[in-house]
Amino acid sequence: MIRLLDIQKTYDNGTKALKGVTLNIEDGEFVFLVGPSGSGKSTIIKLITGEEHPNAGRIMVNGYNLNSIHPRQIPYMRRTLGVIFQDFRLIDKKTVGENLEFAMRAVGASTREIRKRIPYVLDLVDLSQKEDRYPSQLSGGEQQRVAIARALVNNPDMIIADEPTGNLDPQRSLEIMTLLEKINELGTTMLVVTHAKELVNRFTKRVIAIENGRIFSDETGGYYKHEEI
Amino acid sequence: MKRYNFGYYFGEGFRSIFTHGLMSFVAVFMIVACLLIMGSFSLVALNLERELGNLERDNEFLAFVDESYTREQAMELQSRIEMVNNVSGVSFTTKEQAQEDYAAKYASDQNAALYSELPAEVFRDRYSVHMEDLSLIQETIDAVEAIEGIDGHQAAPEVAEGFVLVRNVATAVAMILIVLLLLISLFIIYNTIKLGTFTRREEIAIMKMCGATNGFVRGPFVFEGMILGLFGAVVAFFCQWGVYALIAQAIETGETFQLITVIPFGEIWPKVLGVFAGTGLVVGTGGSVMAIRKFLQV
Ligand SMILES: Nc1ncnc2c1ncn2[C@@H]1O[C@H](COP(=O)(O)OP(=O)(O)OP(=O)(O)O)[C@@H](O)[C@H]1O
Ligand SMILES: [Mg+2]
């Protein structure tokens, strides 16, 4: 669950990245966030994860009020989110299994919980056979699936993906997006930032378009049609 | 802190020592060097302190009794001297006894015959007065001499005061040096661990993104610092032992230092080990906590 109310964000160098953004995402939704480069998509993600703070406006994330959250509570808020990036951000010197274990250790999971959970998420992303591989021994699509598994491993309420298919070819991109759809159907709220217009058009999902720091349209259906108007 | 995290902290911290092998080696080496310098200085100071302590314990001056006093009158003075501030002990010596002591002291001298023939009248009845605090020698002498029936004294207050001064200066210099070396060790550990955080800042960012608490991120680095500090302390302890034994042997067999007795290492090793281990731990933990601080603000 996400609530952004009239959010403004100006970076220290004076760049006005967001100029009054209001949007709500309910539990269980699948939402695409689209818009041209520099429109403020990643800024929204960073505000949600608590990496950046707004200059004005109110933010609620999965029941945490980020305007008044104590810094000590931020880790616990983040545990309700799984985050995926364009560049995967796996630890190269750890195997697939160890990468997932690392994420679980970070939230204080016990060895028993880890042993139980890892096979389950690896099966979900269809990488059961590759648990002992290193990231460099995997294709880009496989690496992103490991990153998805890592985002899922702590059983978050919501997954936030910032251009998860930016480094992948169309076929792999479709696979990844289909996987995210499947995870969403299992109950995890999904917020996906993307540039891939054709991909967005293949799914009939809610699409929030942002331009120049403002929400430009927000409706269920395709993405291209707005630009044609 | 959850119990099962300990194994993880220790494992990660230990592994990191080897992945940054050279830097860890340098850190341990520097801790050893710092502790050795610090330790050697402290041990010299300790020995000096004890040596001076011995001198102080011997410290006394002689207060002579007025020649017109009878033996009975002279002996009555004892209780009055004992009441003077800073006096810890008084013993009376007759002039005959003083003469015998004098002759005995120089018995092996080639002029012994000369001394033994000195008449007892050359000597005077005297009290040897022991003091609690050497630095108050002048005040004590003045007070004792103010007693009626005491006439004259024999002491070397300049020398005594000189010793006190030397000791105070040595203590001050040792303190300053120790603080300096501690800061240097801290700085080196800090930089070693910082190097580790630099190559692992991606990992730290991932951990933070997964919802790791600051304590959890810090854990392995603190353990790494502690292991480095403790290991350095143990190595330094054995080096210190060797150095100390060598120096002690040189002093005891040497010609020039025969007056000095060295405290045996067996008597002080638990203290040395304790101080080294404590210092190593503090420096290791402090350095890593400092190094990791700014990486936690994500
Ligand atoms: N840390 C920062 N400091 C200063 N300005 C920033 C910072 N991060 C982003 N910006 C600026 O804020 C604006 C919005 O950036 P943002 O990263 O949100 O865009 P985006 O929509 O994610 O773009 P892209 O599709 O290229 O990733 C841009 O003008 C960018 O230059
Ligand atoms: Mg972006």
Side-chain angles (χ1 to χ4, degrees), chain A residues 162-182:
Chain A
D162 194 349
E163 303 198 30
T165 61
N167 282 352
L168 304 176
D169 62 49
Q171 181 53 34
R172 305 284 153 220
S173 298
L174 184 61
E175 279 173 27
I176 291 293
M177 221 51 102
T178 309
L179 176 60
L180 293 180
E181 187 182 36
K182 176 174 133 195

Side-chain angles (χ1 to χ4, degrees), chain B:
Chain B
M1 192 187 296
K2 294 203 178 72
R3 184 171 41 84
Y4 35 78
N5 281 346
F6 267 118
Y8 164 81
Y9 293 157
F10 189 80
E12 288 289 312
F14 204 69
R15 193 176 322 167
S16 172
I17 288 175
F18 290 99
T19 45
H20 308 104
L22 180 67
M23 212 49 210
S24 303
F25 178 80
V26 171
V28 168
F29 182 83
M30 290 310 296
I31 291 178
V32 169
C34 286
L35 282 177
L36 260 186
I37 298 174
M38 206 171 91
S40 303
F41 218 91
S42 309
L43 288 176
V44 168
L46 189 70
N47 272 289
L48 214 67
E49 173 86 27
R50 166 130 2 155
E51 204 65 32
L52 289 173
N54 287 339
L55 286 176
E56 274 178 34
R57 222 165 300 124
D58 291 344
N59 198 264
E60 59 178 32
F61 64 88
L62 297 178
F64 299 111
V65 178
D66 193 317
E67 278 173 272
S68 63
Y69 270 48
T70 65
R71 185 62 43 87
E72 285 73 32
Q73 279 175 313
M75 288 175 74
E76 275 161 15
L77 289 171
Q78 172 149 357
S79 58
R80 296 187 57 193
I81 299 175
E82 278 168 351
M83 275 156 62
V84 170
N85 264 341
N86 195 37
V87 170
S88 63
V90 179
S91 60
F92 181 69
T93 311
T94 62
K95 53 187 171 193
E96 292 80 9
Q97 184 62 43
Q99 185 213 7
E100 269 176 41
D101 291 348
Y102 200 74
K105 193 171 172 186
Y106 292 98
S108 61
D109 200 289
Q110 46 191 338
N111 300 322
L114 191 79
Y115 294 123
S116 64
E117 276 158 23
L118 283 171
E121 276 58 43
V122 173
F123 296 91
R124 289 157 66 187
D125 291 345
R126 77 265 320 268
Y127 281 99
S128 57
V129 181
H130 293 257
M131 288 170 292
E132 278 165 17
D133 184 353
L134 180 61
S135 62
L136 296 176
I137 185 165
Q138 197 53 54
E139 289 88 328
T140 313
I141 288 172
D142 290 346
V144 170
E145 280 204 312
I147 296 171
E148 203 176 320
I150 298 294
D151 181 20
H153 74 275
Q154 187 185 319
E158 298 82 10
V159 174
E161 276 163 13
F163 274 130
V164 173
L165 185 70
V166 164
R167 192 191 57 188
N168 288 346
V169 169
T171 311
V173 169
M175 289 299 229
I176 291 169
L177 211 80
I178 285 169
V179 168
L180 262 178
L181 287 168
L182 267 180
L183 289 179
I184 292 172
S185 316
L186 203 66
F187 182 75
I188 288 159
I189 286 270
Y190 167 73
N191 277 293
T192 310
I193 304 279
K194 210 166 87 174
L195 200 87
T197 59
F198 190 73
T199 57
R200 273 187 291 174
R201 64 196 191 288
E202 184 79 338
E203 280 178 43
I204 293 172
I206 291 170
M207 282 198 268
K208 297 283 294 188
M209 201 39 76
C210 290
T213 58
N214 285 349
F216 183 86
V217 176
R218 211 182 277 130
F221 293 100
V222 171
F223 261 74
E224 183 181 346
M226 273 165 56
I227 295 168
L228 289 176
L230 264 186
F231 185 68
V234 170
V235 173
F237 171 75
F238 284 107
C239 294
Q240 185 72 74
W241 190 352
V243 169
Y244 193 83
L246 279 178
I247 293 175
Q249 201 185 16
I251 287 177
E252 267 151 25
T253 57
E255 296 277 304
T256 30
F257 300 111
Q258 271 172 353
L259 288 176
I260 303 173
T261 52
V262 179
I263 306 169
F265 198 72
E267 208 174 285
I268 46 173
W269 75 262
K271 256 191 208 157
V272 174
L273 187 60
V275 169
F276 276 22
T279 311
L281 268 185
V282 167
V283 165
T285 314
S288 38
V289 169
M290 273 160 56
I292 185 84
R293 219 179 32 198
K294 80 165 194 231
F295 286 91
L296 292 177
Q297 283 145 14
V298 185

